[in-house]
Amino acid sequence: MTSLATVYDRERERAVDPEQREDSGSDSELKLEKDGMSDTESKVDSGVPEVPVPPDDTPEVLNKALSGLSSRWKNWWVRGILTLAMISFFFFIIYLGPMVLMMIVLCVQIKCFQEIITIGYSVYHSYHLPWFRTLSWYFLLCVNYFFYGETVTDYFFTLVQREEPLRILSKYHRFISFALYLTGFCMFVLSLVKKHYRLQFYMFGWTHVTLLIVVTQSHLIIHNLFEGMIWFIVPISCVICNDIMAYMFGFFFGRTPLIKLSPKKTWEGFIGGFFSTIVFGIMLSYVMAGYRYFVCPVEFNNDSNSFQVDCEPSDLFQLQDYALPSIMESVTGWTTVHLYPFQIHSIALSSFASIVGPFGGFFASGFKRAFKIKDFANTIPGHGGIMDRFDCQYLMATFVNVYIASFIRGPNPSKVIQQLLALRADQQLHIFNSLKAHLTEKGLLFCAVLENWET
């Protein structure tokens, strides 16, 4: 039997370079692209069978209402109507609070994982090899158990210590996570089939790369959310704004192609989206920074036995005066501006969403070209699958998490106290004496006692 590597090498020499073909962005143009290839070329481009294109599921109501328009304008209206619907749903779940947002993130993560794994299964299933989908979902369960367990222990330590089952699970969390993953690893080894070892290891890697891209990034989104909903809403909204405005500018003014992976992307759309997103990020940050509901971290209240979002806003969300450079002063006539410090940070978030964020979409475009598919799925008419809408969001989530850790977050006193309360009495006493000696040596303890006495 000819090996897969030999087939791949032979067909790669005859296959058409995907970068030399124009990516149509529509099912009909995609079909024309395939018709121009020989039978062998259309079957193999990367050594594996091609993934079938999902059918168009645009609602019949929209099809009838837009039947008189060209395909270009029909697609524009379908995308616009569904975009407004998704934005409305986004506002609704924000109203429901951070815990509902967390559940929505989990649902989106599962759906994105399913879309990518389905593509892999379309390839894998043709060889009738066992356990691939079962093991993929099992590993998803293991990784989510590990990440969500770490998050709950980190942010809601008081709740975990109060409940006996949670305390036991928290204490042995990493060992349980390792045991679960090890079980899946052994199941994979037992599933290996003769003559298909290479393909099975390829699919094993497929699953783990998908977990790295989807689950890890969604875990970072949850971390950003718990720091304050503003760190969740502003970055996501900036990516959405950039996607919409780049599409609008490209649709009406686009002339110059930006990148071969996505021929419909233009420099006009890229530049227009950049400036629009910067302005949008500054304005949205100004509106949200004035509300505690958006800026306070999510915490568990022992007294009310519930999660709450209430605090005294930090300096990051207090209005301050900033002096303008002389050039801007001469143009505007203002000497100072009244801004929240977070608005300055929003410029960095908006810039990343506009400049680097689209590369998540380019990466997804390259992936889809590899399998000759237009979208990951057809979940959202005019938009494709959930992964097609969140390919840039995952890259943005990582940046926001790194940005918070590098420039925003400092030591958290409440978490330190929680950890101290979990220690034995002799350990707490030792830390108390050490801290007392340190403060006395610096003269801080004496000053504090003197101030209390004078009061």
Side-chain angles (χ1 to χ4, degrees), residues 28-250:
S28 60
E29 291 172 331
L30 188 65
K31 184 177 184 300
L32 290 174
E33 178 184 89
K34 293 177 187 176
D35 291 341
M37 307 167 76
S38 66
D39 292 340
T40 305
E41 287 172 327
S42 63
K43 288 180 181 178
V44 181
D45 182 52
S46 58
V48 292
E50 183 182 335
V51 178
V53 178
D56 179 28
D57 66 341
T58 304
E60 190 62 28
V61 176
L62 287 179
N63 278 328
K64 289 182 178 179
L66 305 174
S67 58
L69 299 177
S70 65
S71 60
R72 183 169 183 260
W73 279 100
K74 179 182 176 181
N75 183 63
W76 191 88
W77 278 104
V78 170
R79 286 174 66 93
I81 293 171
L82 269 296
T83 296
L84 291 176
M86 288 188 289
I87 292 175
S88 301
F89 178 71
F90 184 55
F91 286 148
F92 176 68
I93 60 175
I94 289 173
Y95 170 77
L96 294 178
M99 303 312 295
V100 176
L101 280 173
M102 183 183 72
M103 297 307 299
I104 293 296
V105 171
L106 177 61
C107 293
V108 168
Q109 172 218 113
I110 293 173
K111 180 57 180 173
C112 290
F113 182 83
Q114 182 265 333
E115 290 177 358
I116 299 177
I117 288 300
T118 297
I119 296 175
Y121 183 68
S122 298
V123 174
Y124 185 87
H125 183 69
S126 62
Y127 293 91
H128 305 290
L129 300 178
W131 292 14
F132 169 56
R133 281 199 300 188
T134 302
L135 284 174
S136 296
W137 288 103
Y138 177 81
F139 281 125
L140 176 68
L141 175 66
C142 293
V143 175
N144 269 312
Y145 174 81
F146 171 74
F147 279 130
Y148 276 85
E150 293 283 311
T151 300
V152 170
T153 302
D154 188 32
Y155 283 92
F156 308 117
F157 186 80
T158 304
L159 173 63
V160 170
Q161 290 300 310
R162 194 184 66 179
E163 303 293 336
E164 181 65 23
L166 292 178
R167 184 162 64 247
I168 295 174
L169 289 175
S170 173
K171 183 177 181 180
Y172 303 106
H173 173 68
R174 296 199 173 185
F175 181 81
I176 295 173
S177 301
F178 176 74
L180 289 173
Y181 180 84
L182 195 61
T183 302
F185 178 81
C186 293
M187 290 170 62
F188 167 74
V189 174
L190 293 174
S191 72
L192 291 173
V193 178
K194 188 177 180 181
K195 296 183 180 180
H196 294 302
Y197 296 142
R198 179 180 299 179
L199 179 62
Q200 288 186 280
F201 277 100
Y202 165 73
M203 299 313 301
F204 183 77
W206 179 294
T207 299
H208 281 68
V209 170
T210 304
L211 292 172
L212 176 65
I213 293 175
V214 176
V215 182
T216 305
Q217 312 305 316
S218 63
H219 170 68
L220 297 181
I221 292 177
I222 299 298
H223 269 243
N224 300 340
L225 173 62
F226 285 158
E227 291 293 330
M229 283 199 289
I230 195 169
W231 291 105
F232 171 85
I233 297 171
V234 170
I236 284 182
S237 300
C238 285
V239 172
I240 294 173
C241 174
N242 181 257
D243 190 39
I244 293 173
M245 298 310 297
Y247 176 77
M248 295 288 287
F249 275 92

Side-chain angles (χ1 to χ4, degrees), residues 173-453:
H173 173 68
R174 296 199 173 185
F175 181 81
I176 295 173
S177 301
F178 176 74
L180 289 173
Y181 180 84
L182 195 61
T183 302
F185 178 81
C186 293
M187 290 170 62
F188 167 74
V189 174
L190 293 174
S191 72
L192 291 173
V193 178
K194 188 177 180 181
K195 296 183 180 180
H196 294 302
Y197 296 142
R198 179 180 299 179
L199 179 62
Q200 288 186 280
F201 277 100
Y202 165 73
M203 299 313 301
F204 183 77
W206 179 294
T207 299
H208 281 68
V209 170
T210 304
L211 292 172
L212 176 65
I213 293 175
V214 176
V215 182
T216 305
Q217 312 305 316
S218 63
H219 170 68
L220 297 181
I221 292 177
I222 299 298
H223 269 243
N224 300 340
L225 173 62
F226 285 158
E227 291 293 330
M229 283 199 289
I230 195 169
W231 291 105
F232 171 85
I233 297 171
V234 170
I236 284 182
S237 300
C238 285
V239 172
I240 294 173
C241 174
N242 181 257
D243 190 39
I244 293 173
M245 298 310 297
Y247 176 77
M248 295 288 287
F249 275 92
F251 185 87
F252 290 106
F253 309 108
R255 295 292 182 273
T256 313
L258 175 65
I259 185 171
K260 289 183 178 180
L261 277 174
S262 297
K264 283 199 169 186
K265 299 289 194 306
T266 63
W267 276 104
E268 290 81 3
F270 183 80
I271 296 172
F274 171 77
F275 287 107
S276 301
T277 306
I278 295 293
V279 174
F280 172 80
I282 293 174
M283 294 175 62
L284 180 64
S285 299
Y286 181 83
V287 173
M288 296 186 63
Y291 296 91
R292 294 187 180 187
Y293 180 73
F294 295 121
V295 304
C296 292
V298 181
E299 296 179 346
F300 181 79
N301 191 316
N302 276 319
D303 298 330
S304 62
N305 197 31
S306 62
F307 297 97
Q308 67 176 22
V309 183
D310 188 29
C311 67
E312 186 63 33
S314 65
D315 293 339
L316 199 61
F317 306 104
Q318 303 287 347
L319 283 170
Q320 299 181 21
D321 290 326
Y322 292 91
L324 287 175
S326 56
I327 298 177
M328 295 185 64
E329 182 179 342
S330 61
V331 174
T332 62
W334 302 338
T335 56
T336 60
V337 290
H338 215 39
L339 296 174
Y340 293 101
F342 181 81
Q343 287 181 271
I344 299 175
H345 292 290
S346 73
I347 297 176
L349 301 179
S350 302
S351 299
F352 185 91
S354 304
I355 299 173
V356 184
F359 279 84
F362 300 153
F363 178 87
S365 295
F367 179 88
K368 289 182 285 188
R369 272 181 170 270
F371 292 95
K372 302 188 187 71
I373 55 176
K374 177 177 177 285
D375 298 309
F376 283 94
N378 59 347
T379 309
I380 311 172
H383 292 267
I386 298 295
M387 189 63 196
D388 291 285
R389 294 298 89 207
F390 283 84
D391 47 11
C392 299
Q393 296 287 3
Y394 288 129
L395 193 61
M396 187 72 191
T398 304
F399 172 75
V400 174
N401 192 268
V402 172
Y403 189 88
I404 293 174
S406 302
F407 304 109
I408 305 298
R409 185 192 297 132
N412 191 328
S414 62
K415 290 185 180 180
V416 174
I417 293 175
Q418 290 173 359
Q419 292 174 346
L420 289 176
L421 294 177
L423 299 176
R424 300 192 310 269
D426 60 318
Q427 293 174 323
Q428 294 177 357
L429 187 61
H430 174 72
I431 292 176
F432 169 78
N433 291 328
S434 299
L435 183 60
K436 178 182 177 182
H438 175 73
L439 295 176
T440 303
E441 181 182 349
K442 287 185 170 294
L444 298 176
L445 186 61
F446 176 77
C447 293
V449 172
L450 183 61
E451 288 178 1
N452 290 334
W453 181 77

